[in-house]
Amino acid sequence: MLRYLPFLLVLAVWIYAFIDVLNTPEKEVRHLPKVVWVIIVLLFGEVLLGPIAWFVTGKKRHTPGGGAGGGRTRWVAPDDNPEFLKSLKEKEEDPDENRRDKGNEG
């Protein structure tokens, strides 16, 4: 059973690369047209040259959490977030909102 593992891993990478090529929009494909990448992955998938070429050079990769500025955005805890604290103060200062909420319950 263990002797089939390398074959199954190569097959899994081959199928994943093929599906990734098909699902990638044309504008995100680099260096070659999408149809050529499909042919390369299919022809050279058995020896992993096609899938590796696709993963390395074929697709534009986006950084995780890539905002408009291109820099990394950092998660801020709510008690350290000035905007969140400001919104809490605004809720505390609006007594009419509390009366309206209590009136709707009954």
Side-chain angles (χ1 to χ4, degrees):
M1 184 66 147
L2 195 57
R3 62 183 162 168
Y4 296 117
L5 186 62
F7 173 74
L8 292 175
L9 290 175
V10 169
L11 183 65
V13 171
W14 192 3
I15 292 171
Y16 179 79
F18 179 68
I19 292 172
D20 193 35
V21 172
L22 292 179
N23 287 334
T24 301
E26 187 73 38
K27 63 182 179 181
E28 292 184 15
V29 176
R30 297 189 308 178
H31 303 297
L32 295 171
K34 188 173 176 179
V35 175
V36 175
W37 278 113
V38 169
I39 293 170
I40 288 173
V41 168
L42 287 177
L43 288 179
F44 299 106
E46 202 169 328
V47 290
L48 288 180
L49 291 177
I52 290 173
W54 167 251
F55 293 137
V56 172
T57 63
K59 182 178 180 180
K60 292 181 186 176
R61 302 290 173 186
H62 303 287
T63 58
R72 295 188 125 201
T73 57
R74 198 171 145 232
W75 183 82
V76 179
D79 57 341
D80 292 334
N81 188 344
E83 293 175 12
F84 178 74
L85 295 174
K86 183 180 175 184
S87 70
L88 287 179
K89 284 183 181 179
E90 289 174 357
K91 286 183 180 181
E92 288 176 1
E93 293 173 359
D94 191 8
D96 292 337
E97 185 176 317
N98 291 337
R99 283 190 215 132
R100 278 184 271 155
D101 289 343
K102 290 179 182 176
N104 291 337
E105 290 177 5

